Amino acid sequence: MKKKITVLFLVFSMVFISCDQDFNTIGSDLVGDEHFDFDTYTPALKAYSVRTGEVQTNNLPINPLGFYKNPFFGETKANFVTDVALNSVQPNFGTGVVVDDVTLYIPFYSTVESTNADGSKVYSLDSIYGANKESKMKLNVYENGYYLSSFEGPNQDVTSKYYSDMDAIIDAQKRGADASGNSISVASGGTRLNNSSNVAENDEFFFNKSEIITYKTKLNTVTGVLEYVDEKGVVFADKLDVTLRAKNRLAPGIYLHLNKDFFKKKIIESSSDNLFNNNNFRQYFKGLYFKMEQIAGEEGAMAMLNFNVAKINIDYHSIDTGSTIPTAKTFLIGLGLNSGGNTISLQDFNYSGDYDAGLTASNQVTGQDANLFLKGGKGSVVYMDVFGDTDVLKIVDGQLVSGSNEVPDELDQLRLKGWLINDAYLEFYIDKTAMAGNTEFQEAERLYLFDATNQKPLADYFFDSSTNSNSKRNKIIHGGMIERDDTGSNKGVKYKIRITQHINNLINSTNVNLNKNVKLGLCVTENIGLTGNYFYKSPRTFSSGPDINFFPVTSIIAQQGTVLFGTNPTSSADADKKLKLTIHFTKPN
């Protein structure tokens, strides 16, 4: 009997230890938030906002296009330039070439909401920002005249970096088409390439959520004319009811008809040397430039676009060698990173007076700011120092003695306590007064906390393996998602980010690679899965510690922002909303 009791005790102990380990990792949200039988500690914390200045924006995985006005932060205009590439090099187009159509398609991020009886689909769009998401703008597509080199330096051994402020350089060298389709600078009279009579493709462009419908055709091999067909492929005169025509359906996106004469001269009639390989082709055809212009009385809107899946279709018919019958064909041109070349997001941001003043007033020496300002793109990030600056003590043989050891004294004291860290998290409350003019879509949906000293995610990011059907909500235990009120306004209240493992490493680990008290960084994110870094055009400098040369690319892609309470809110009524780090711990027996 005694043996059985001992075994049961051991099993119970193992279960308890296992559960306790899971609890330490998963944290309080899964077991009732803060209702635990352990003590709480709030360490010293400095936090301050820093302008990003101009940022590196070449070869982003996702790029903004359009206009975005935020009531607090200001206005952003985003243009875009990209290399293009032949999907097949050294093409043989045949003889008697007639270009039937040239179209450009860039799909939006969209979701099918329903399907109608006739097979058509109803879509909703994701990643479109603006008070009126269907606000009209002027879209111009030009030939790029500025060569985007992949390498630079005396020996062409340094990867090129392009920055957000290059729009004026690209714009000054844009090219269009003359009356015959020849490439000519816009300054000399060249016109844009999206020359359709449909103003929704240029002068009154908007982000249309409707399904894109084109009609199937068949080439008449005698007349060389494309004729419409029905669902069975039978040709009929195009004067018949349009509802009889067979349809091709595409998800919503930018769908433009481009200048046929220009592409015939630029591609079909080009010398074979220009089309021999894509290195030659990029020297010859330097890509496309997407330039947005506002329309009087229209605020505009902004879309996040994946140009890497964009394509240009040149539909033509010609006669192959040894034949007398024309054949309908399509030649593809790729854009974005799939072109094997370069892209640049060209972002022009005008700071509002309040935002500019808030950044100017931020004090990185004391870190006791009333507000913290986060804005994606050419905006701002927040840096934090935990456990204070005082360093007049050090640990020797388990005792604190006089002397500096490059470790804050507060952290030295905690290391001697032997606490078991159960949970640790930062809470960032939104200043609703500052963000009063913002609607739901303008608030940053998620924040990303990172190790700014080493420019990498924190340990808690890697420890969190939670996933969601929406990848933007992965790593939900680590957190950073906006928490909204339930009163009907759906306005943002706060963000909470769990850093239990990071704090445990700082206090209890003896591994110097894990227990270093690094500077923390905070930014907005468009995708929590993106953890790479891009360069500041000018390094960010600090009153103490080394300069920082780069920061997360996910902040460059995002355009939204938020105003948070800092460690020292102006009003005493907001004292309970100040930024703080809360540590829940268990004392050793």
Side-chain angles (χ1 to χ4, degrees):
M1 182 69 181
K2 183 177 180 180
K3 183 177 181 181
K4 289 183 179 181
I5 293 174
T6 302
V7 171
L8 287 172
F9 175 78
L10 289 173
V11 171
F12 175 81
S13 299
M14 292 174 66
V15 170
F16 177 83
I17 292 170
S18 176
C19 291
D20 186 58
Q21 288 174 339
D22 288 343
F23 166 71
N24 290 340
T25 302
I26 294 175
S28 61
D29 277 351
L30 301 186
V31 285
D33 204 11
E34 298 177 17
H35 304 292
F36 303 107
D37 186 21
F38 48 70
D39 290 330
T40 300
Y41 180 78
T42 303
L45 183 65
K46 294 198 316 181
Y48 41 92
S49 309
V50 175
R51 300 175 194 267
T52 63
E54 302 296 344
V55 292
Q56 182 187 355
T57 56
N58 60 303
N59 303 335
L60 297 173
I62 303 171
N63 291 269
L65 184 71
F67 299 91
Y68 176 61
K69 182 177 181 179
N70 185 288
F72 178 83
F73 293 99
E75 299 182 14
T76 300
K77 174 186 176 182
N79 293 332
F80 181 72
V81 64
T82 176
D83 275 329
V84 294
L86 306 170
N87 275 34
S88 57
V89 297
Q90 304 175 43
N92 181 359
F93 295 110
T95 60
V97 176
V98 175
V99 176
D100 300 305
D101 202 4
V102 180
T103 55
L104 166 67
Y105 175 52
I106 310 166
F108 300 141
Y109 290 100
S110 62
T111 302
V112 176
E113 297 294 334
S114 61
T115 302
N116 299 319
D118 64 355
S120 61
K121 295 179 174 63
V122 178
Y123 289 86
S124 62
L125 301 184
D126 186 18
S127 301
I128 308 288
Y129 305 118
N132 176 7
K133 296 183 180 181
E134 295 188 350
S135 179
K136 293 180 179 179
M137 301 160 280
K138 189 174 181 179
L139 168 61
N140 307 289
V141 180
Y142 297 105
E143 178 187 4
N144 174 36
Y146 181 89
Y147 179 62
L148 305 179
S149 174
S150 296
F151 298 97
E152 58 187 20
N155 301 313
Q156 290 288 293
D157 56 352
V158 178
T159 302
S160 295
K161 292 185 285 293
Y162 296 105
Y163 295 90
S164 52
D165 60 349
M166 286 194 63
D167 192 54
I169 296 173
I170 300 297
D171 189 67
Q173 299 187 47
K174 62 183 181 291
R175 301 178 67 83
D178 66 11
S180 300
N182 296 297
S183 175
I184 183 174
S185 72
V186 173
S188 300
T191 60
R192 65 191 174 198
L193 303 183
N194 54 324
N195 62 342
S196 172
S197 59
N198 179 2
V199 294
E201 296 186 19
N202 38 58
D203 287 334
E204 296 183 11
F205 171 82
F206 66 100
F207 298 120
N208 192 338
K209 66 180 180 180
S210 299
E211 184 178 57
I212 298 169
I213 297 176
T214 61
Y215 297 98
K216 295 181 180 179
T217 57
K218 183 177 182 180
L219 181 67
N220 186 318
T221 58
V222 176
T223 64
V225 174
L226 290 175
E227 299 173 321
Y228 293 109
V229 297
D230 63 16
E231 294 293 346
K232 296 181 179 180
V234 178
V235 176
F236 59 89
D238 62 2
K239 66 182 179 181
L240 295 181
D241 189 343
V242 70
T243 60
L244 297 177
R245 298 176 185 174
K247 300 177 179 66
N248 294 306
R249 302 183 185 276
L250 294 173
I254 296 176
Y255 190 82
L256 308 176
H257 291 82
L258 304 181
N259 190 310
K260 294 188 291 185
D261 293 333
F262 173 86
F263 280 89
K264 182 177 181 181
K265 289 182 177 295
K266 194 73 179 182
I267 306 296
I268 306 295
E269 297 177 356
S270 177
S271 72
S272 58
D273 286 345
N274 292 330
L275 311 182
F276 183 76
N277 58 41
N278 273 314
N279 287 331
N280 289 11
F281 183 63
R282 280 189 287 269
Q283 293 274 356
Y284 162 66
F285 187 3
K286 298 179 179 64
L288 295 178
Y289 170 45
F290 295 78
K291 178 185 170 88
M292 306 296 295
E293 296 181 57
Q294 279 186 301
I295 298 174
E298 295 276 355
E299 188 174 289
M302 178 175 286
M304 304 303 298
L305 297 171
N306 183 0
F307 283 88
N308 304 323
V309 295
K311 62 181 179 181
I312 296 173
N313 280 11
I314 302 177
D315 296 318
Y316 68 100
H317 62 270
S318 65
I319 299 173
D320 293 325
T321 302
S323 175
T324 58
I325 301 175
T327 304
K329 305 169 185 176
T330 297
F331 188 75
L332 298 178
I333 296 177
L335 285 72
L337 300 182
N338 284 350
S339 71
N342 293 286
T343 70
I344 310 175
S345 176
L346 307 165
Q347 302 180 17
D348 182 21
F349 178 64
N350 293 318
Y351 292 86
S352 71
D354 288 343
Y355 180 36
D356 185 66
L359 291 177
T360 301
S362 184
N363 190 329
Q364 63 172 268
V365 176
T366 66
Q368 297 300 302
D369 292 357
N371 285 110
L372 301 172
F373 307 95
L374 291 172
K375 165 72 171 64
K378 178 187 169 183
S380 56
V381 296
V382 166
Y383 291 106
M384 290 174 281
D385 301 305
V386 185
F387 299 119
D389 296 323
T390 304
D391 179 23
V392 296
L393 299 173
K394 61 182 178 179
I395 299 175
V396 177
D397 295 330
Q399 299 291 326
L400 282 175
V401 299
S402 297
S404 173
N405 61 350
E406 298 184 355
V407 176
D409 291 345
E410 183 178 13
L411 180 54
D412 274 332
Q413 292 168 0
L414 295 180
R415 287 175 175 176
L416 293 177
K417 294 179 181 295
W419 288 350
L420 172 64
I421 307 302
N422 299 303
D423 198 14
Y425 50 85
L426 287 156
E427 288 180 295
F428 305 89
Y429 281 87
I430 296 171
D431 185 338
K432 291 184 178 181
T433 301
M435 293 291 286
N438 284 260
T439 53
E440 178 183 343
F441 74 87
Q442 291 169 317
E443 295 182 292
E445 191 67 23
R446 191 166 195 175
L447 306 184
Y448 168 53
L449 188 71
F450 58 98
D451 171 353
T453 300
N454 300 295
Q455 294 297 319
K456 65 180 183 179
L458 297 176
D460 297 81
Y461 178 96
F462 296 109
F463 269 66
D464 186 354
S465 59
S466 62
T467 59
N468 190 280
S469 57
N470 180 349
S471 62
K472 291 184 178 182
R473 300 182 69 88
N474 287 347
K475 299 188 180 295
I476 198 68
I477 298 170
H478 181 37
M481 295 294 302
I482 193 169
E483 297 180 21
R484 300 188 180 277
D485 65 29
D486 55 3
T487 61
S489 69
N490 210 31
K491 296 286 289 183
V493 176
K494 70 174 183 177
Y495 305 85
K496 182 176 179 179
I497 302 178
R498 178 161 283 103
I499 55 172
T500 308
Q501 191 60 46
H502 174 68
I503 294 299
N504 186 58
N505 287 343
L506 292 182
I507 294 176
N508 294 319
S509 178
T510 58
N511 186 332
V512 294
N513 295 317
L514 298 177
N515 67 10
K516 184 178 180 180
N517 188 31
V518 298
K519 186 184 295 293
L520 300 181
L522 184 72
C523 66
V524 297
T525 178
E526 178 70 18
N527 185 341
I528 195 65
L530 294 176
T531 59
N533 301 290
Y534 268 26
F535 282 82
Y536 291 113
K537 189 171 185 179
S538 300
R540 304 296 90 180
T541 58
F542 300 92
S543 56
S544 61
D547 294 350
I548 293 181
N549 293 302
F550 36 73
F551 73 115
V553 66
T554 191
S555 181
I556 300 173
I557 294 171
Q559 294 298 318
Q560 296 166 301
T562 189
V563 182
L564 308 171
F565 285 110
T567 56
N568 188 27
T570 303
S571 171
S572 59
D574 297 318
D576 61 336
K577 298 183 181 67
K578 73 175 184 179
L579 169 62
K580 62 181 179 180
L581 168 60
T582 301
I583 300 174
H584 293 295
F585 65 94
T586 301
K587 295 179 181 179
N589 292 328

